[in-house]
């Protein structure tokens, strides 16, 4: 850390020095009465400063981003190599262990039972009956599966410990143990392991544990890190000095310093605008990459994922386990998303559209001055607040109301309460976008209708709205895309049950809810459970992207027509 | 010629109807606006009302004796020694002194349940700062347990008190057991109420059984029949049992499902365990003892706690103790400063938003540092420098689409790229800030471009006309004029990011974090949470006291956002320039 | 300008020539937009079955005057109209007059053609539909055909009645708008610079049309072009700075103006 600070400070001093050198040189050229300077003296200073700092800073940034990862990988792969005999022994014992084989069989059995229970639930639903008892049975099987999973993990842990214990407690043995522990950890534990080892080695934060294995890893990291640090420091400083010298050698009266500096500035600006593209590419590639891994883990049955009717990812204990195939059918999520979107839009479109009409055609200036900011406030309320409102105010109210009307199975977390509140959230989007397009309809069209003797509402319904229709459709599509991608309201208020239902009083789950459920809590990163979240994210991204593109196109066409 | 007349009659015939349609249409518009306004009022109103219980908190003040041997185990008054002292035991002793007759272990646990032992750490800090306190008695004030707090605020437990209708005689039995007996049927009202409630429940159970039986008749599937049969049998049996208990001749045993009955007499509190069938006498035990004597008491209180024990988290005894503490002036209600000065905690009474506030500040700092320069730079490039070609067009379309990508997708990006690929720390404001910056970027770019576009071309032409380069014209003339608009757009973008939750869930900022992150460079990589996530976490917490605290946290967040937006509006008004 | 110094003879009453039926009569008619006086105490009579042209430099109040006749000024929030304007002796500004009914009786054509975003057929049928002038589909078809024929557009569009009105050329669109106006069989037709957005050929067609329409309607047109006024109108009114300066038979105004300002305007000294 101290070296990096020292390097950074030296670099700053060099940059300042470079600037002053450039300036002084330019001034001295002028003082000697030589040929007229092409640019102002400061530009020569900027030019040299750029050459001093630019390449060095890029290198430093790259080191900051990738340096520690590289050190970790190098150090740990060395330890893993040393642990190769332990790893081989562990795998041999795993395959031969009677208890594990029995547990795997038991898991397969429980999985089959769970499948059966799920079928029974479907049968009960189809015959219009209450499937509660089977749901109980299913929950039982699920718990059993989880228990078996836990026992499997436990047994695997035992074997791992016994294997590790065989290594001698010499330095080499502990290094091997360290490599073995790292190899045998799931992804998240690996992160923790690395963080702890780094904490011990370099004092970055506090270590949560301090074991001989961690100390061995820390010891392995230190020399690698030292080499890296010193070589990067040397490289950075020599690049800075080299850049300074090169820049200095170029400063002459005829040198077009300003143009060079300006080219650099505009390059920097272009880079800023490319970040937007990089973000999109980052989204597309990360989603695609992880989704492909997910599809590979379910045997490329993409159709089962998109159209399967069973969503219960908690059943699948690990990727290599049989029976998880049926658990990743996302159709109930799509149906839930659609149901909530429909409810939300049936609130947002009429209210938003009529507000926009009233605001742009009827309201006096004073009403507009009050109502418009209020709608804007509605748009600015964080979604988590809407979620809280849906969960604690709207949900209970709707449940009590449904109970009052004699609907016995009413629940607090229902599609209706989430949809209604989401609709309120989307009102301002629909209304402000519609307001814009309605205002963009030329006054001459309205005048034409008024001059025919049309009343105000006839003018609006027959002339203004048809003219604004494409824009309004665009606004609604953007609203739909918003509803599909909204997360917090549904996470808090729509429930968790992956029910394939059209009943708004039942709880449903959506794409976004499942992404959150799959990625929060304690999970290993590489399981198909977590990868499934990325596949859902990809579906969500593609869906909203298509809606956005269509909507933006439609609105653009509309604007071109009237502007 | 009757031409004009005919038009007139034709138009007039429909005029009334058309005007009605007109008024109807206008009414729909006004109604839509009113509906939107009503939603907002309901939203804010319900949150305000829900937050009321969290605005104040009840605190207990105890005189804690800091025994030298217990507090300074090594006897050298060093900090290390003081840190090993038995502070919680000292607080426990102070509480026991108030209720000396509590002996039983289970009862003691209930008594100590009136506060969280985490408070001992505060006492420790006080002593470490001022070692001269050791050996004396300090007056220590701390928040009372959340369930007791809710009871004292009267929001979680329904209760009623009535004067005893006739003199009662109290006979002490073994230990603290007592028998109450009176000449009149003093427990009449209580027993009637209990029986009425039980009757109602039995009726509901029977209804459920009937429904199950009806469904059974329709069911075909064997498994389904089994379910309904079991359901019907269970409900019938329960109803039967209740009906049995309703039998007039039987005594009423007070269980967890029915209201509790306490009797207050001459400073003592008796918890009644069963009422005899004649409704004149009852048995119970002293919760708070006092010498009562043999004579009949005419001045006594029937204290019914209508919420049954199963429906609340505070026991009868705890209610009696808390009530006694209040009587003795040892509890006091005051403004809930803990909410603002403490970080998160599992104990609602010790949970505050400070940690989340600091997390939000750090996260927003990163977001601002990234989103504003990059966004403004991109806007300047696209608006002033970019050639109008297909690449520029692609960037523009891309930015517009990025603005409408669901925020959770940015969270997935952060998880996959920054955490898993670059190995940045989880749950850290650094990563949260980067993700939110990418999310805010399109907003900043779009509003900055609008601000730049609003600067008339004549300014650029004038600058170019006197020989400035393009870069000079933009940076010396256009940018200063567009700055207010850019600033406003950036602030609005930041306010949006401040309220964002979903992407931060993806990068692990949902963890429970009991220590506020440090407000320095190290804080950026420490695990932390932010305001909206804190709200989400509290809203899903089981303790009822968190409900009000969630609402209060929402108010804090909304206040922050309103002030940010107000700053944006002020800037816009102050520096707005129209051409 | 020197003319500003002259006392404005604003309240001078301008009668129609004897022997003609008076259709529209204005007296003491003023209009303010916010604080600005746009029309200053205009008083004139406009004859039936003839074309009256309003000329004058930009911003002289001629369009404002036109918009008073069918109360289009109601749609502008800041406009305040005072004084009286009567059609067939009936006060237009009276509270009891429904602007909907008034506008059914007074058609209007605007500067830029503004067909509705509907088909050609629906554009013409719009007025009869909302006012309930046709009892059946056949009757409506007949009205559409007659109106388009009167507007001289029938032959050009008969085979594409259901294409959007915006698909027509500018001149055709303006004739479509005229057809739309005459479909409700109004008594007065107002035209606000109907040819300013058209090419010379289309302009000639419209002028012909105006001349034909004179048979049945009272037409009032605002025009920038003095030549057009001279070609199509029987009466001409010259507005300047919100005041009606001179009004009389077209021939008289153009050959022997009484007011110096009129003289200067028609000879092109200002405009």
């Amino acid at each position: 850390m101290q070296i990096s600070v020292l390097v950074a400070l030296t670099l700053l001093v060099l940059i300042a020095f470079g600037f002053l050198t450039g300036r002084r040189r330019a001034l001295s050229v002028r003082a000697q009465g030589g040929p007229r300077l092409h640019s102002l003296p400061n530009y020569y200073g900027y030019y040299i400063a750029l050459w001093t700092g630019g390449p060095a800073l890029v290198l430093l940034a790259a080191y900051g981003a990738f340096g520690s990862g590289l050190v970790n990988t190098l150090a740990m792969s060395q330890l893993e190599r040393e642990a190769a005999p332990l790893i081989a022994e562990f795998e041999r014992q795993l395959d031969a262990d009677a208890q594990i084989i029995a547990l795997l069989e038991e898991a397969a059995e429980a999985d089959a039972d769970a499948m059966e229970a799920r079928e029974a639930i479907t049968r009960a639903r189809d015959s219009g009956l209450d499937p509660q008892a089977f749901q109980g049975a299913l929950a039982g099987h699920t718990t059993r599966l989880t228990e078996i999973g836990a026992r499997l993990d436990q047994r695997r842990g035992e074997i791992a410990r016994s294997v590790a214990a065989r290594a001698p407690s010499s330095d080499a043995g502990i290094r091997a143990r360290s490599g073995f522990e790292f190899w045998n950890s799931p992804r998240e534990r690996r992160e923790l392991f690395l963080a702890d080892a780094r904490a011990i080695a370099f004092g970055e934060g506090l270590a949560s544990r301090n074991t001989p294995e961690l100390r061995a890893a820390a010891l392995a990291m230190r020399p690698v890190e030292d080499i890296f640090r010193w070589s990067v420091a040397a490289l950075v400083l020599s690049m800075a000095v080299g850049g300074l010298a090169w820049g200095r050698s170029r400063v002459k009266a005829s040198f077009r310093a300003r143009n060079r500096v300006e080219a650099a500035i505009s390059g920097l600006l272009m880079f800023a605008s490319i970040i937007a593209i990089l973000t999109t590419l980052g989204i597309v590639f990360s989603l695609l990459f992880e989704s492909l891994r997910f599809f590979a883990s379910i045997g490329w049955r993409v159709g089962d994922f998109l159209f399967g009717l069973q969503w219960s990812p908690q059943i699948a204990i690990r990727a290599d386990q049989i029976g998880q195939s049926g658990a990743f059918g996302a159709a109930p999520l799509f149906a839930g998303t659609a149901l909530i979107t429909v409810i939300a839009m049936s609130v947002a479109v009429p209210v938003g559209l009529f507000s926009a009409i009233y605001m742009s055609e009827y309201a006096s200036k004073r009403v507009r001055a009050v109502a418009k900011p209020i709608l804007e406030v509605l748009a600015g309320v964080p979604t988590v607040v809407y979620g809280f409102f849906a969960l604690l105010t709207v949900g209970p109210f709707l449940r009590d109301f449904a109970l009052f009307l004699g609907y016995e199975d009413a629940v607090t977390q229902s599609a209706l309460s989430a949809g209604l509140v989401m609709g309120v959230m989307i009102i301002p989007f629909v209304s402000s976008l519609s307001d814009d397009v309605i205002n963009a309809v030329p006054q001459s069209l309205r005048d034409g209708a008024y001059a025919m003797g049309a009343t105000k509402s006839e003018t609006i319904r027959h002339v203004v709205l048809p003219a604004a229709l494409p824009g309004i459709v665009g606004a609604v599509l953007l609203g739909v895309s918003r509803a599909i991608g909204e997360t917090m309201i549904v996470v808090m208020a729509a429930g968790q049950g992956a029910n394939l239902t059209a009943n708004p009083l039942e709880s449903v789950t959506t794409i976004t809810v499942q992404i959150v459920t799959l990625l929060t809590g304690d999970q290993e990163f590489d399981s198909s459970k977590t990868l499934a979240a990325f596949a859902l994210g990809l579906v969500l991204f593609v869906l909203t992207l298509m809606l956005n593109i269509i909507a933006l196109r439609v609105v653009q066409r509309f604007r071109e027509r009237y502007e | 010629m009757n031409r004009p007349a005919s038009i007139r009659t034709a138009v007039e015939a429909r005029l009334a109807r058309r005007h009605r349609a007109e008024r109807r249409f206008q009414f729909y518009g006004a109604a839509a606006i009113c509906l939107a306004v009503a939603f907002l009022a309901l939203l804010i109103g319900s949150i305000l009302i829900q937050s009321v219980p969290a605005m104040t908190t009840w605190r207990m003040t105890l005189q804690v004796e800091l025994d030298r041997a217990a507090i300074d185990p090594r006897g050298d008054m060093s900090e290390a020694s003081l840190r090993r002292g038995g502070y919680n035991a000292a607080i426990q002793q102070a509480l026991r002194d108030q209720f000396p007759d509590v002996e039983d272990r289970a009862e003691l646990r209930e008594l100590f349940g009136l506060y969280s032992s985490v408070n001992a750490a505060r006492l420790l800090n006080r002593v470490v700062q001022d070692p001269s306190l050791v050996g004396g008695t300090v007056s220590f004030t701390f928040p009372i347990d959340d369930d007791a707090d809710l009871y004292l605020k009267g929001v979680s437990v329904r209760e009623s008190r009535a004067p005893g209708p006739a003199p009662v005689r109290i006979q002490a039995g073994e230990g603290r057991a007592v028998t109450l007996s009176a000449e009149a049927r003093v427990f009449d009202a209580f027993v009637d109420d209990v029986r009425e409630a039980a009757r109602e429940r039995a009726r509901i159970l029977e209804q459920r059984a009937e429904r199950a039986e009806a469904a059974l008749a329709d069911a075909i599937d064997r498994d389904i029949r089994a379910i309904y049969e079991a359901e019907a049998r269970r409900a019938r049996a329960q109803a039967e049992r209740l009906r049995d208990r309703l039998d007039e001749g039987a005594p009423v045993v007070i269980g967890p499902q029915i209201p509790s009955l306490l009797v207050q007499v001459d400073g003592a509190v008796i918890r009644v365990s069963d009422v005899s069938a004649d409704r004149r006498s009852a048995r119970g035990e002293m919760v708070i003892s006092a010498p009562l004597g043999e004579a009949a008491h005419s001045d006594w209180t029937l204290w019914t706690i209508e919420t049954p024990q199963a429906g609340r988290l505070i026991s009868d005894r705890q209610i009696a103790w808390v009530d006694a503490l209040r009587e003795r002036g040892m509890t006091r209600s005051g403004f809930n400063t803990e909410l603002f000065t403490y970080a998160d905690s599992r104990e609602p009474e010790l949970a505050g938003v400070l940690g989340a506030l600091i997390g939000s500040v750090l996260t927003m700092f990163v977001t601002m540092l990234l989103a504003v320069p990059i966004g403004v730079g991109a806007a300047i490039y696209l608006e002033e420098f970019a050639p109008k070609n297909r690449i520029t067009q692609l960037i523009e379309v891309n930015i517009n689409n990025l603005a409408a990508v669901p925020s959770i997708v940015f969270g997935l990006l952060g998880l996959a790229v920054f955490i898993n690929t670059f190995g940045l720390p989880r749950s850290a404001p650094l990563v949260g800030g980067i993700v939110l910056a990418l999310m805010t970027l399109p907003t900043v770019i779009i509003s900055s471009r609008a601000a730049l576009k609003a600067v008339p071309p004549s300014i650029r032409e004038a600058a170019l006309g006197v020989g400035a380069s393009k870069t000079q014209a933009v940076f010396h003339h256009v940018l200063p004029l567009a700055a207010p608009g850019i600033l406003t757009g950036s602030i609005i973008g930041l306010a949006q990011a401040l309220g964002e939750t979903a992407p931060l869930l993806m990068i692990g900022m949902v963890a429970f974090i009991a220590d506020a992150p440090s407000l320095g460079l190290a804080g950026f990589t420490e695990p932390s949470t932010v305001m909206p996530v804190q709200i989400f976490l509290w809203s899903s917490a089981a303790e009822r006291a968190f409900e009000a605290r969630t609402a209060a946290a929402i108010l804090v967040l909304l206040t922050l956002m309103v002030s940010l937006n107000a700053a944006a509006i002020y800037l816009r008004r102050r520096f707005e320039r129209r051409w | 300008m020197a003319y500003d110094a002259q006392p404005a003879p604003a309240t001078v009453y301008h009668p129609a020539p004897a022997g003609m039926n008076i259709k529209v009569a204005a007296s003491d008619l003023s209009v303010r937009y916010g604080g600005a006086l746009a029309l200053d105490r205009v008083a004139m009579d406009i004859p039936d079955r003839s074309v009256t042209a309003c000329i004058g430099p930009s911003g002289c109040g001629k369009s404002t005057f036109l918009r008073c006749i069918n109360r289009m000024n109601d749609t502008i929030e800041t406009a305040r109209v005072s004084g009286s304007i009567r059609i067939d002796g009936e006060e237009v500004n009276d509270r009891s007059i429904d602007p909907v009914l008034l506008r059914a009786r007074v058609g209007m054509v605007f500067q830029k053609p503004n067909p509705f975003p509907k088909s050609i057929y629906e554009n013409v049928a719009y007025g009869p539909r909302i006012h309930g002038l046709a009892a059946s589909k056949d009757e409506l078809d007949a009205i559409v055909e007659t109106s388009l024929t009167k507007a001289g557009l029938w032959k050009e569009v008969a085979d594409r009645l259901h294409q959007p009105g915006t698909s027509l050329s500018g001149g055709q669109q303006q004739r479509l708008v005229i057809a739309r106006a005459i479909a409700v069989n109004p008594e007065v037709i107002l035209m606000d610079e109907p040819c300013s957005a058209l090419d010379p050929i289309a302009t000639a067609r419209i002028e012909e049309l105006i001349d034909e329409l004179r048979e049945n309607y009272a037409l009032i047109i605002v025009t920038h072009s003095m030549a057009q006024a001279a070609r199509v109108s029987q009466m001409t009114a010259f507005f300047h700075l919100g005041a009606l300066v001179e009004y009389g038979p077209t021939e008289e105004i153009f050959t022997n103006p009484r007011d110096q300002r009129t003289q200067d305007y028609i000879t092109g000294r200002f405009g």
Side-chain angles (χ1 to χ4, degrees), chain C residues 106 128 141 146 178 221:
Chain C
V106 182
D141 287 347
T146 328
I178 294 173
I221 79 168

Side-chain angles (χ1 to χ4, degrees), chain C residues 21-235:
Chain C
N21 265 337
I22 295 170
K23 188 69 189 175
V24 179
S27 67
D28 203 24
L29 186 67
S30 300
V31 177
R32 282 176 183 281
Y33 291 126
L37 190 64
L39 204 61
D40 188 9
R41 290 164 291 170
V42 167
M44 68 192 284
D45 289 345
I46 292 171
D48 201 2
R49 290 171 206 281
S50 67
V51 179
T52 305
C54 301
I55 59 168
S58 308
C60 64
K62 52 193 194 302
S63 286
T64 305
F65 172 68
L66 206 65
R67 293 172 73 95
C68 284
I69 301 171
N70 66 348
R71 281 185 49 185
M72 277 303 275
N73 282 326
D74 289 11
T75 61
I76 299 168
E77 246 178 77
T78 53
R80 296 280 169 274
V81 181
S82 64
S84 134
I85 186 152
R86 280 187 285 275
I87 298 180
D88 287 339
E90 201 175 0
E91 178 56 53
V92 164
N93 285 333
D94 200 277
R95 272 168 177 274
S96 66
I97 291 292
D98 193 323
V100 170
L101 178 58
L102 171 70
R103 289 173 195 158
R105 292 167 59 202
V106 182
M108 186 165 185
V109 174
F110 297 85
Q111 191 168 358
K112 262 170 65 184
N114 55 354
F116 300 143
K118 296 167 179 286
S119 69
I120 295 171
Y121 180 92
E122 285 300 324
N123 258 289
V124 181
Y126 185 68
R129 253 194 225 283
I130 58 168
H131 296 304
L133 300 184
S136 66
K137 176 88 172 77
D138 289 342
E139 222 172 297
L140 195 60
D141 287 347
I143 293 178
V144 170
E145 187 178 340
T146 328
S147 312
L148 283 171
T149 312
K150 274 194 201 161
L153 198 60
W154 177 249
K155 277 188 204 134
E156 292 159 55
V157 301
D159 53 343
R160 49 172 175 152
L161 282 176
H162 296 285
Q163 285 182 12
T166 43
S167 66
L168 298 171
S169 73
Q172 286 174 323
Q173 284 190 12
Q174 196 64 308
R175 276 181 283 149
L176 174 64
V177 170
I178 294 173
R180 185 174 76 189
I182 57 187
V184 289
N185 216 352
E187 303 158 37
V188 181
I189 297 178
L190 313 174
M191 294 190 174
D192 191 353
E193 303 191 24
C195 303
S196 66
L198 303 181
D199 61 73
I201 298 170
T203 302
R205 291 293 311 269
I206 301 282
E207 283 178 5
E208 265 171 50
L209 180 57
I210 291 172
D211 203 50
E212 282 161 26
L213 292 174
R214 180 159 64 89
E215 301 283 315
N216 296 310
Y217 307 95
L219 285 108
I220 307 171
I221 79 168
V222 163
T223 177
H224 240 98
S225 145
M226 277 171 287
Q228 186 173 55
R231 282 196 299 271
V232 300
S233 70
Q234 285 74 54
M235 298 291 290

Side-chain angles (χ1 to χ4, degrees), chain A residues 373-408:
Chain A
I374 287 182
L375 284 178
E376 276 171 17
V377 168
L378 222 42
V381 173
T383 53
V384 70
V385 177
Y386 279 113
F388 180 75
F389 179 61
L391 181 65
L392 280 169
T393 307
V394 179
F397 170 77
L398 287 176
R399 183 202 52 210
D400 294 347
F401 191 65
L403 286 176
F404 171 76
L405 291 180
Y407 180 76
E408 297 277 344

Side-chain angles (χ1 to χ4, degrees), chain A residues 229-265:
Chain A
R229 245 180 224 182
W230 284 107
S231 53
V232 165
L235 201 60
V236 161
L237 291 182
S238 56
M239 273 172 98
V241 173
L244 199 156
W246 198 75
R248 193 167 178 277
S249 73
R250 308 242 317 179
V251 174
K252 291 187 196 72
S254 62
F255 182 66
R256 301 174 162 225
R258 182 172 55 70
N259 304 36
R260 297 302 174 104
V261 171
E262 286 180 356
I265 289 175

